[in-house]
Amino acid sequence: MVFSSVGQLKKAIEGVLKIDGDNVRVVDEAKLRGSLIDHLVYSAILSSDEGAKQAARWLIRRAGVTLGVLPCSIQSLYEAMGRGDIKGFTVPAINIRGLSYETAQAVFRAGVKGAVGPIIFEIARSEIGYTEQRPAEYACAITAAAIKTNWRGPLFLQGDHFQIGVKKFAVEPQKEIDAIKALISEAIEAGFYNIDIDSSTLVDLSKPAEEEQQRNNFTIAADITAFIRRIQPSGVEVSVGGEIGEVGSKNSTVGELRAFMGGYRKELEKHGKGLKGISKISVQTGTSHGGVVLPDGSIAKVKLDFDTLQNLSEAARKEFGMSGAVQHGASTLPDEAFDNFPKRGTAEVHLATAFQNMIYDSPFFPVPLRDRIYDYIRKDLASEKGAKDTDEQFVYKTRKKGFGPFKKDMWNLPPDILRGIGKELEDKFYFLFDKLSVFNTKTVTATFVKPVDVPVPAPASLTGKGAVKSEKKAEAFDEGE
């Protein structure tokens, strides 16, 4: 059921949820987890009534707090990694582009089974656009999935690749920086207490010295870090990530890391003494987003440089007190590669495309719907096809953009189809969590991460005070713009 009015929603929560000012009390957890949470999250995403949508999102977020599911920063855990107090595992950071509620449930089921502590749910600036999931919507789907699966513990929501667009920066640099800051403000308000700044697009390798190559990168990263420190909620130290090498470009070096960090620290100090800097550094070691697509639509095997990754992680910890290096574009690597990440001291690994592929290629996914999506790609997105792309290459690289326009169709797939896809995803997540050595990390995570309840006022649609504001539309943004 999708609630079409606030009145209908209020009637449905009677005896299950109790609104108490700006808080929510869970009266009947079994009924909440049984079907009400499904109705609430579908309304939060698909309702045509803006008031009901906002009320559902707020109820989910505050009910999550009551049940011990709170948005958190991973900062203190990463500081412990930087000190060497904990080691031996790599934190998975998962981008969910479609079927967000079902996919997140699969993640949590695998996490509960393996007693996993740190799991990051993230969405990139580009993904927000083409999947039509603004931060508040994404956070709502993840929180609802945690409630549904009886997950308890920190909820690490992350803005991934909040990236400076090269073309836009070249024309109006301050406007592009301000756009990133506006997105960060929106994300933090939604509970994203982990933000990855990506100004590595501005690295200029034509400069002779590494410091000059990284200058725009570290100057802007420091400026945005200072901005985050000014707006972060009381009691929360947002975990901030930086990036020295654009994914898909040349491999990063320790020299580039030192040049970036030296300049970054000096610039950050100009914004205020004692400001906390980044907790991790994203690097390039041979991967690319989505993998390299061959003419038949398959993915080329990638030789990832684990020695470089290990050297950068060690330098990040020993010289700068960070948790280590972050590996992007890893989900399409062969299965046997993943246990190398914890062995080499990788702090965090970003995983996205493989799960998108599993959804589209699942035997449970309806062929007629897939054909409709592919027809849309071939017709409406034809201008994005490269001159040398085969049809298979073009569809593979572009089908990620089917999640937004066909979001309602996917959310409304029959329950047996959703369960089938969900089970496939759960098995994959469980496998990856094992390889990344995050089984039995729940206790150590709880030792270092202490959730903070950030107050969130009840929306106007529930209080009757003020006008109900419409949600902003997602901007169109492609990586590298």
Side-chain angles (χ1 to χ4, degrees), residues 118-134:
I119 305 172
I120 293 173
F121 293 86
E122 61 182 4
I123 189 165
R125 182 186 184 187
S126 58
E127 290 170 328
I128 289 170
Y130 63 71
T131 69
E132 299 179 15
Q133 297 182 99
R134 296 213 71 86

Side-chain angles (χ1 to χ4, degrees), residues 107-118:
V107 174
F108 285 126
R109 288 195 301 267
V112 169
K113 196 187 311 182
V116 178

Side-chain angles (χ1 to χ4, degrees), residues 1-19 27-28 31-41 43 52 56 59 462:
M1 175 188 293
V2 175
F3 301 126
S4 57
S5 69
V6 175
Q8 188 183 31
L9 179 150
K10 284 183 174 180
K11 185 172 179 60
I13 69 171
E14 287 178 1
V16 184
L17 297 176
K18 177 72 173 176
I19 299 173
V27 179
D28 191 329
K31 285 187 178 179
L32 173 62
R33 292 179 56 213
S35 61
L36 179 60
I37 192 64
D38 300 331
H39 301 325
L40 285 172
V41 73
S43 301
L59 285 167
L462 285 176

Side-chain angles (χ1 to χ4, degrees), residues 125 162-186 195 197-202 215-228 230-231 267 271 475 477 481:
R125 182 186 184 187
F162 276 18
Q163 185 181 87
I164 298 291
V166 179
K167 294 177 183 177
K168 294 176 180 178
F169 183 83
V171 178
E172 295 181 286
Q174 191 57 51
K175 184 178 179 181
E176 179 64 359
I177 292 170
D178 290 343
I180 290 291
K181 290 179 177 178
L183 180 58
I184 288 171
S185 295
E186 180 185 347
I195 303 291
I197 303 166
D198 183 7
S199 45
S200 68
T201 50
L202 304 179
R215 184 168 298 282
N216 276 341
N217 185 14
F218 64 64
T219 301
I220 290 171
D223 174 48
I224 295 176
T225 301
F227 171 77
I228 291 171
R230 289 196 297 273
I231 68 168
E267 290 295 324
H271 291 278
E475 64 168 339
F477 178 87
E481 279 193 349

Side-chain angles (χ1 to χ4, degrees), residues 95-100 127 130-131 133 138 289-290 352-353 356 400 403-404:
N95 300 62
I96 301 180
R97 295 172 178 168
L99 292 180
S100 300
E127 290 170 328
Y130 63 71
T131 69
Q133 297 182 99
Y138 187 83
H289 287 123
T353 303
Q356 162 193 297
K400 63 187 180 182
F403 285 116

